[in-house]
Amino acid sequence: MTFDINNIRNDFPILQRKVHNRPFVYFDNAATTQKPLKVIERMDKVYRETNSNIHRGVHYLSDITTNDFEAARETVRNFINARHDHEIIFTPGTTAGINLVAYTLGEKVIRRGDEIIISAIEHHANIVPWQMLCERKKAKLRVIPMNDNGELLLEEYRKLLSPRTRIVAVTHVANSIGTVNPVKQIIEIAHSQGVPVLIDGAQAIQHLRVDVQELDADFYVFSGHKMYGPTGIGVLYGKEGILEEIPPYQTGGEMVDQVSFEKTTFNSLPFKFEAGTPNYIGAIGMGAAMEYLKEKGLDEIAAYEKDLLEYGTRRLSEIEGLYLFGRAKEKIGVLSFVLKGIHPYDAGMIIDKHGIAVRTGNHCAQPIMERFGIGGTVRASLAFYNTRKEIDRLCEAVEKVKEMFS
Ligand code: PMP
């Protein structure tokens, strides 16, 4: 076991810096995570030593980079336990992956009057592409409601499923309040009616062990930058059968087999969905991030984060006038709160002056804020490089905010 918090913090150069003359505390991990040296150095090495465009080259460096890119695909396959390498499609990120499915599967299967089910706790990225698809096709968007703790109501979900349901798309973990959804069960219920399911794993992949075969997900999407990897790269996992059936999304080079002015035939999986030069250095960097996480131990990370969440929940709950949103039994390290009589933006600005980065606003999840009857929250989202001492500093900063507004 190599989980040692001091060593881990030393792996992240940015955590050593100061902000407003104070040791930097980074609690905006749900927006993006910081990068360990292993990732930075791996990408730096490609730029310095082996950079060449992939697949088409016959020359030495192109061969090395192609192998490294395809090795990253295998690393991803292994990380999420997909059956085949070619079920791993590199995308620019979660948003791109969801749009890909909406424009391929969606265009193929949705007809007028059909229904798509999402949930009340989705990020805008898993709402708007489906809403736009519904508009194009004159279909209907159905929403699984939640209770006051931020947990989805599965009985309501069962009622929403109908012979018109064509797609279910739900998040594994809610970015705004941290709820972990029972996605295995959600998938099982959809499959009992023959409906395919997309899972938005943007906030799950960095906290939970994800096994796409065990979940039996048809699609699983996530972003590299939220799991300690680089920006501009993500993954769409899709089951081989369904990826074979759906049409390509973006078209152009790489994704083709034969091209003439009369007709084009398409490349095989996964290349059919990777038009143009992919972000191969990003993919290699994301592979390095996955290797780093495995090295530190996924279970050890989860246990450490659970402790931090419990500590943070307890400490913040002790503050008078502070209300925490998101009290699901199953949740990851998101502390989303409001302070009585204080706008989240004002609170966030003052907290920042203490060298602590939190996020304020609706967290790209306006419907859930509306459901709670608020405009937004202050959100401290935790990562395994955070500490109890940092949570103490957040609590001190919150007390200062209260003093200033009293
Ligand atoms: N879904 C969820 C649950 C998210 O938290 C985010 C990012 N905040 C996204 C989708 C979109 O991810 P990206 O911006 O990397 O495409």
Side-chain angles (χ1 to χ4, degrees):
M1 211 261 279
T2 53
F3 195 92
D4 171 332
I5 188 65
N6 292 321
N7 285 343
I8 282 171
R9 288 185 66 82
N10 286 334
D11 289 339
F12 292 80
I14 206 169
L15 299 180
Q16 319 311 321
R17 67 161 293 160
K18 290 194 166 178
V19 167
H20 301 312
N21 263 331
R22 303 187 190 207
F24 178 44
V25 177
Y26 187 70
F27 279 147
D28 197 14
N29 295 289
T32 199
T33 50
Q34 301 301 347
K35 319 304 170 198
L37 272 171
K38 183 159 185 161
V39 169
I40 299 167
E41 285 171 355
R42 184 68 188 90
M43 294 171 74
D44 184 75
K45 187 172 157 69
V46 182
Y47 278 120
R48 285 174 190 275
E49 297 178 18
T50 54
N51 179 45
S52 268
N53 205 337
I54 53 169
H55 291 144
R56 290 170 290 245
V58 290
H59 60 83
Y60 184 68
L61 292 188
S62 175
D63 208 35
I64 292 177
T65 312
T66 302
N67 288 339
D68 287 350
F69 175 67
E70 291 303 330
R73 200 188 302 277
E74 163 57 20
T75 302
V76 176
R77 186 207 62 72
N78 183 273
F79 196 80
I80 61 171
N81 194 33
R83 189 166 284 126
H84 306 291
D85 274 7
H86 57 256
E87 293 175 321
I88 306 300
I89 312 293
F90 286 117
T91 66
T94 306
T95 305
I98 297 169
N99 274 281
L100 188 157
V101 178
Y103 275 94
T104 52
L105 177 72
E107 289 296 324
K108 191 176 155 95
V109 304
I110 300 292
R111 303 268 178 278
R112 176 187 278 269
D114 283 347
E115 296 177 358
I116 297 169
I117 296 181
I118 60 168
S119 91
I121 56 176
E122 299 305 317
H123 185 279
H124 295 162
N126 202 32
I127 302 174
V128 186
W130 304 115
Q131 198 168 49
M132 298 289 105
L133 173 63
C134 286
E135 274 183 25
R136 290 197 296 279
K137 300 285 186 170
K138 306 277 181 287
K140 290 200 190 83
L141 197 62
R142 299 280 188 213
V143 182
I144 310 168
M146 66 172 192
N147 63 20
D148 290 339
N149 290 334
E151 293 161 319
L152 296 185
L153 303 174
L154 288 194
E155 279 321 301
E156 297 300 317
Y157 165 52
R158 280 181 213 275
K159 286 186 218 156
L160 284 178
L161 264 175
S162 83
R164 298 310 310 250
T165 310
R166 295 285 172 265
I167 300 170
V168 171
V170 291
T171 196
H172 197 162
V173 171
N175 69 309
S176 53
I177 50 170
T179 309
V180 179
N181 282 329
V183 285
K184 190 173 159 63
Q185 214 180 337
I186 289 173
I187 293 167
E188 235 170 62
I189 294 168
H191 283 177
S192 69
Q193 312 276 326
V195 177
V197 183
L198 175 140
I199 301 296
D200 173 352
Q203 297 295 343
I205 193 80
Q206 66 282 51
H207 299 295
L208 309 169
R209 210 178 256 287
V210 171
D211 182 329
V212 290
Q213 289 191 70
E214 200 211 326
L215 291 178
D216 202 21
D218 299 282
F219 299 100
Y220 196 97
V221 291
F222 56 91
S223 303
H225 72 99
K226 290 185 197 282
M227 57 165 316
Y228 313 99
T231 44
I233 186 77
V235 168
L236 162 69
Y237 157 80
K239 278 185 190 163
E240 180 186 50
I242 200 160
L243 287 177
E244 293 282 11
E245 268 173 41
I246 60 179
Y249 177 42
Q250 293 185 322
T251 54
E254 285 273 339
M255 54 76 66
V256 290
D257 177 24
Q258 296 291 324
V259 179
S260 72
F261 288 119
E262 287 71 40
K263 188 169 169 56
T264 293
T265 55
F266 303 121
N267 205 338
S268 55
L269 292 175
F271 311 111
K272 169 179 152 187
F273 293 106
E274 292 179 353
T277 300
N279 182 358
Y280 53 90
I281 299 187
I284 293 167
M286 183 168 58
M290 288 177 171
E291 278 159 14
Y292 175 81
L293 289 176
K294 281 201 148 174
E295 217 175 276
K296 297 299 153 198
L298 299 178
D299 295 335
E300 284 79 3
I301 288 172
Y304 181 84
E305 288 183 350
K306 185 166 182 279
D307 174 74
L308 263 191
L309 172 64
E310 281 168 9
Y311 183 73
T313 306
R314 180 157 54 80
R315 291 283 283 114
L316 286 172
S317 302
E318 286 162 4
I319 298 176
E320 220 186 292
L322 184 149
Y323 188 83
L324 273 168
F325 287 91
R327 293 164 179 270
K329 272 188 218 82
E330 296 293 329
K331 71 176 275 191
I332 51 87
V334 173
L335 297 160
S336 217
F337 61 89
V338 293
L339 292 166
K340 197 171 165 208
I342 304 171
H343 196 283
Y345 182 78
D346 294 332
M349 292 280 283
I350 298 165
I351 292 169
D352 171 65
K353 292 291 178 279
H354 289 78
I356 303 170
V358 290
R359 188 150 291 249
T360 64
N362 62 43
H363 318 297
C364 291
Q366 260 175 282
I368 189 170
M369 298 295 139
E370 243 164 63
R371 165 67 175 71
F372 283 136
I374 52 176
T377 67
V378 178
R379 183 186 69 184
S381 49
L382 313 177
F384 66 95
Y385 44 58
N386 290 129
T387 62
R388 285 184 170 211
K389 214 165 127 200
E390 290 181 321
I391 289 174
D392 293 341
R393 275 188 56 200
L394 174 66
C395 293
E396 283 162 28
V398 169
E399 291 291 0
K400 288 278 187 295
V401 173
K402 279 176 56 188
E403 267 174 40
M404 284 185 73
F405 281 84
S406 68

